[in-house]
Amino acid sequence: MGIEIDVSSDVITQAAVVSEFDHSGGNTSRDATGDAPTRASSESHEPHGEHGNCANCDVILTGAYCHVCGQHAHIHRSLLHMFEELLHGLFHFETKAWRTIPALIYRPGKLTRQYIEGKRTSFVSPLALFLFMIFLMFFVFSFTMKDPAKNLMEEDTKEEVIKELDQTRQTLARQKEQEAALIAKHESVTDIQEEIKETQTEILALELAVTKATSDTKKSKEEVEHQLQEAKTKLSTLEAEKRKLGPDVQKRIGISKEISSVKKEIHALEVASAQLSDKKSDSAKNKSDTANSSSVSNSSDGLAINISDDNALSEIPGIGSSLAKANANRELTLYKMKANSSKLAFLLMPISLPFLWLLFAFHRRYVMFDHAVFSLYSLSFMCVLLIIVALLNKFNFTGTAVFLLMVVPPVHMYLQLRDAYQLSGFGTLWRTAALLLIAMISLLIYAIIVTGMSI
């Protein structure tokens, strides 16, 4: 939770700045001629009020507000008014928010069109609204979503991962049997081999999760060493029994599975032992890093999966070392990804703008500003939708959450496109389909940027 609250302070600051700029309307402390405004002499200063001097720019007041800088003539000194000022500075809650949000949900196209045509004071600016919704969305996520890094620390979660790992190994064994049967029949094994590779990758990920969870338990080094010795003894016994077995295939398969399971346990215990050693020692640190990134056996016949061998991405220069670094410190990588995802959320708008322009390349009356307003209001609504989905999922209304996530975005896009750009039914329909594709492409680019800056 702390990550979202920490990074959201930047978003709040940006929203406040944008909102305050919109409120001031770009006024300066100079009059229409460009000269400094007339100031009352210090001798004629009156108490601040409608007939005194502005406390901000010292111009003689002619009403309840300064006609130069816009500051209220009345100067408060109460905590309640300070809180009201905070809400006003962020969001103009007193009127604008309650007009903008319902319009954003029910009449998004009309809202976009009115703002573009000049009705600005009545609504929250799209940029301020988007920044605030980003903050609110990640704030809600911090309460409704579990931290996977913390979950690995819990014993119940670790047991679930171990159970899933065993089931995945059984799936791999069945796939190998299918592969052997296909080979015996001289049939193609391409598809089953692809499935085997996917299963092996999944096993590797689960083994790393179990390894990390085991290394984070509060066992002493002596306990871990004792369990490691017992596991090695058990492995020696099982291998001796396997050598004594005859041609009974079923028995050999059964004991091979047990041997593979014990090897995984030894691997996890070795990593835990290395991490419980003196962390200041270079040798212990190197041992831990090596154990975390080493190849692991996945069957009794010595089949091993190496991250750098099986992952094609690791063959690209620079990618392999980045993946290894992220794998060695997964909690830090996860922290960076969560922080960057909120800090870089503003990139979704400039990423999508060129694609939006292409949808209206032959409509010269629409300029880039129009597309920016459309994009920001659309993204703001998606934040509202994700907040609702997260809350529904938190209270176990998963079916409703999935339904809303699948149905609402295309409907909202259709309504906003139709009214904002004043399109026909067919023109709106094909652009909605294109916009859904644009949204997926933009999210993919955004995810690549966030991941690239986090590893």
Side-chain angles (χ1 to χ4, degrees):
M1 186 183 97
I3 298 173
E4 287 83 358
I5 295 177
D6 180 43
V7 299
S8 63
S9 61
D10 295 338
V11 181
I12 281 188
T13 303
Q14 295 174 45
V17 170
V18 172
S19 182
E20 186 61 29
F21 180 79
D22 288 343
H23 178 63
S24 66
N27 288 330
T28 66
S29 59
R30 295 183 177 273
D31 61 15
T33 63
D35 298 326
T38 305
R39 299 176 181 271
S41 64
S42 59
E43 292 81 3
S44 63
H45 274 200
E46 300 177 11
H48 298 300
E50 294 187 13
H51 303 291
N53 288 51
C54 175
N56 182 58
C57 62
D58 209 26
V59 171
I60 298 176
L61 295 171
T62 59
Y65 294 89
C66 176
H67 64 282
V68 175
C69 68
Q71 178 167 295
H72 202 293
H74 173 69
I75 305 300
H76 75 85
R77 294 182 66 181
S78 66
L79 291 176
L80 181 62
H81 198 81
M82 183 179 291
F83 179 71
E84 178 189 344
E85 211 172 50
L86 171 66
L87 292 181
H88 182 274
L90 281 176
F91 217 55
H92 297 326
F93 255 94
E94 74 285 358
T95 52
K96 289 190 174 184
W98 307 123
R99 280 197 296 263
T100 306
I101 294 177
L104 180 69
I105 296 173
Y106 299 109
R107 301 183 301 278
K110 185 178 180 181
L111 169 66
T112 306
R113 173 49 41 195
Q114 287 181 333
Y115 191 89
I116 290 172
E117 290 177 346
K119 199 172 182 179
R120 311 285 170 86
T121 306
S122 300
F123 303 110
V124 179
S125 74
L127 182 56
L129 182 65
F130 172 64
L131 291 174
F132 186 84
M133 284 303 172
I134 285 290
F135 153 72
L136 187 60
M137 181 181 69
F138 281 96
F139 184 77
V140 172
F141 284 175
S142 67
F143 289 99
T144 57
M145 293 186 175
K146 295 181 178 179
D147 188 342
K150 291 182 179 178
N151 288 343
L152 286 178
M153 303 286 288
E154 300 174 3
E155 190 64 26
D156 292 342
T157 306
K158 190 180 80 170
E159 293 299 328
E160 291 176 3
V161 174
I162 292 175
K163 183 178 179 180
E164 184 179 356
L165 178 59
D166 291 337
Q167 293 174 350
T168 309
R169 285 173 179 161
Q170 293 173 10
T171 301
L172 179 62
R174 289 194 296 269
Q175 290 173 342
K176 286 186 173 296
E177 291 174 2
Q178 294 175 12
E179 181 186 27
L182 291 173
I183 291 175
K185 295 178 182 178
H186 302 288
E187 296 180 4
S188 174
V189 294
T190 304
D191 293 338
I192 192 66
Q193 286 178 346
E194 289 296 325
E195 293 179 11
I196 288 174
K197 286 184 178 181
E198 291 178 3
T199 305
Q200 289 173 340
T201 304
E202 184 178 354
I203 288 174
L204 177 60
L206 291 169
E207 284 174 343
L208 292 174
V210 174
T211 297
K212 185 61 180 175
T214 303
S215 65
D216 286 335
T217 56
K218 296 182 178 179
K219 298 178 181 178
S220 66
K221 181 171 175 60
E222 290 73 18
E223 291 175 326
V224 173
E225 290 290 349
H226 178 69
Q227 292 180 1
L228 180 59
Q229 190 59 41
E230 287 183 345
K232 288 181 176 179
T233 302
K234 183 178 179 180
L235 178 62
S236 300
T237 303
L238 290 172
E239 289 178 339
E241 291 179 3
K242 181 181 178 180
R243 287 193 293 270
K244 295 178 183 179
L245 288 176
D248 191 333
V249 177
Q250 292 297 327
K251 288 184 178 181
R252 293 182 67 86
I253 291 176
I255 199 168
S256 295
K257 289 181 180 179
E258 193 171 355
I259 289 173
S260 179
S261 178
V262 173
K263 285 182 177 180
K264 305 312 168 192
E265 182 181 356
I266 291 173
H267 173 74
L269 290 170
E270 285 176 344
V271 174
S273 176
Q275 292 188 347
L276 286 171
S277 300
D278 185 8
K279 292 185 178 181
K280 294 183 180 180
S281 170
D282 292 336
S283 60
K285 183 177 180 180
N286 292 334
K287 181 180 178 182
S288 176
D289 293 339
T290 303
N292 271 308
S293 59
S294 62
S295 43
V296 293
S297 173
N298 285 277
S299 67
S300 59
D301 57 3
L303 177 63
I305 300 177
N306 188 289
I307 297 176
S308 61
D309 290 339
D310 279 355
N311 193 342
L313 288 175
S314 63
E315 306 245 340
I316 303 174
I319 297 295
S321 58
S322 298
L323 291 175
K325 186 188 298 182
N327 177 62
N329 200 340
R330 292 190 297 279
E331 276 105 358
L332 178 59
T333 303
L334 182 62
Y335 176 90
K336 288 181 177 179
M337 290 185 70
K338 293 173 74 175
N340 288 332
S341 63
S342 56
K343 287 183 176 180
L344 301 176
F346 71 92
L347 290 176
L348 287 169
M349 190 268 288
I351 290 173
S352 61
L353 277 184
F355 299 105
L356 274 173
W357 179 84
L358 286 174
L359 291 180
F360 300 92
F362 300 103
H363 294 256
R364 297 297 180 88
R365 57 176 175 157
Y366 300 125
V367 297
M368 198 63 79
F369 174 82
D370 303 347
H371 303 320
V373 172
F374 178 92
S375 176
L376 287 169
Y377 275 139
S378 180
L379 289 170
S380 298
F381 172 79
M382 295 307 163
C383 290
V384 174
L385 178 62
L386 289 174
I387 290 171
I388 296 172
V389 167
L391 292 172
L392 288 172
N393 188 59
K394 175 68 174 179
F395 294 104
N396 297 321
F397 293 99
T398 308
T400 305
V402 172
F403 175 79
L404 291 177
L405 200 58
M406 298 296 292
V407 174
V408 172
V411 173
H412 189 272
M413 288 178 180
Y414 179 89
L415 295 175
Q416 189 178 6
L417 278 169
R418 185 191 63 188
D419 295 335
Y421 293 103
Q422 300 171 335
L423 301 171
S424 64
F426 175 75
T428 306
L429 194 61
W430 78 260
R431 284 183 175 89
T432 300
L435 190 58
L436 288 170
L437 178 61
I438 290 171
M440 289 187 287
I441 294 173
S442 300
L443 285 173
L444 178 61
I445 296 173
Y446 168 70
I448 292 172
I449 294 173
V450 170
T451 304
M453 295 187 65
S454 304
I455 62 174

